[in-house]
Amino acid sequence: RLASQLEKWGAASGPEAAAAPPGGAAKPDARKAGEPQRLCMRSDGRKKIHTTFPDGAEMVEEFDEKTDVLLLRKVRKPTTLGKEADWVFEVGQPPEAAFDPHADLMRASSSNPIFLRKDTPEHFQWRIRNLPYPPEVYNVSVDHEKQEIIVRTSNKKYYKRIQLPDLARLGLKMQDSMLSWKHQHSTLIISYLRPAEVTQAEQKVLKEAEKSALKM
């Protein structure tokens, strides 16, 4: 609920907005033309930041208030028709929609692989659950040309490409030496060491956003 409220306030804080959002939240700091605007809210032990970019794209991030670990990030870009686009989750999981027996013909099997990103202070980390194959079946590597992590199995039961927008936004390239993985309890855990540049960029965003923070 609070994240939704933050999104509404962020939408109202675009270049044409003049008033502060309801409830006493501070307006984003005045920015130079071409710079993003940010709103920050503290609640439930999280720092929640809504960023609006000059092209109309939006980003919502949630950080642990004590450790500053990124818990959730979702983005959406403006559509050509002006309609509100769906959120794309980069970190964390979208809320699961309630099953409607009248509208949904089939529900996804609980045994299907489940993919999610959940970072640690030291690593970007992805977990793929419901992969029961032995460790020797998996191959995890970097596609340097496309700058993606490739997950494949020798039994051809699973294949996935993983993007890492955190690096792309800063113009950083993936390195083989920073990638590792392990398999335990039917879960494939893939880790990529966080570059110092990413941590520094996140801390800069947090400091800027906290200038307009609202405590709830």
Side-chain angles (χ1 to χ4, degrees):
R1 183 177 62 84
L2 289 172
S4 299
Q5 187 177 27
L6 188 62
E7 293 165 20
K8 292 178 182 178
W9 292 353
S13 65
E16 298 178 358
K27 290 191 297 183
D29 295 338
R31 300 291 182 193
K32 298 178 182 178
E35 290 190 0
Q37 292 187 329
R38 294 185 175 92
L39 282 170
C40 181
M41 172 191 294
R42 292 174 181 263
S43 67
D44 305 324
R46 297 188 178 197
K47 302 173 186 176
K48 304 180 181 182
I49 301 173
H50 185 286
T51 303
T52 304
F53 298 93
D55 64 356
E58 299 173 82
M59 176 187 294
V60 173
E61 297 168 297
E62 297 186 7
F63 295 84
D64 184 282
E65 193 167 12
K66 293 182 178 179
T67 65
D68 286 344
V69 171
L70 180 63
L71 304 175
L72 179 143
R73 178 192 288 137
K74 58 182 181 179
V75 297
R76 67 179 174 189
K77 298 180 180 179
T79 63
T80 54
L81 299 178
K83 294 183 179 180
E84 196 170 78
D86 292 332
W87 287 103
V88 176
F89 282 74
E90 293 183 359
V91 181
Q93 281 186 300
E96 185 174 347
F99 177 63
D100 184 348
H102 301 289
D104 301 330
L105 296 178
M106 290 194 307
R107 187 168 194 149
S109 171
S110 59
S111 62
N112 287 342
I114 299 173
F115 175 85
L116 64 92
R117 175 176 158 184
K118 187 176 181 181
D119 292 350
T120 72
E122 296 81 21
H123 294 89
F124 304 118
Q125 194 168 91
W126 302 265
R127 295 171 181 261
I128 309 174
R129 299 171 180 162
N130 296 335
L131 289 180
Y133 319 115
E136 59 268 20
V137 167
Y138 303 97
N139 181 281
V140 182
S141 60
V142 173
D143 182 334
H144 291 281
E145 181 179 353
K146 295 186 176 180
Q147 285 296 294
E148 295 174 338
I149 298 171
I150 303 177
V151 182
R152 55 165 61 93
T153 59
S154 59
N155 60 8
K156 302 186 185 302
K157 296 291 187 181
Y158 188 82
Y159 180 88
K160 188 171 184 65
R161 285 180 170 270
I162 303 173
Q163 297 180 335
L164 190 44
D166 308 66
L167 299 189
R169 291 187 181 105
L170 297 177
L172 302 176
K173 300 295 185 181
M174 291 186 183
Q175 300 180 31
D176 295 318
S177 60
M178 302 179 78
L179 178 66
S180 62
W181 64 274
K182 62 181 179 180
H183 183 268
Q184 61 185 30
H185 308 304
S186 295
T187 300
L188 183 65
I189 303 172
I190 303 166
S191 301
Y192 189 95
L193 192 64
R194 292 171 60 90
E197 294 91 333
V198 173
T199 301
Q200 292 167 2
E202 288 182 350
Q203 288 299 314
K204 181 180 179 181
V205 168
L206 282 167
K207 288 179 180 178
E208 290 180 354
E210 285 176 351
K211 294 177 183 178
S212 61
L214 172 68
K215 292 185 178 181
M216 298 289 287

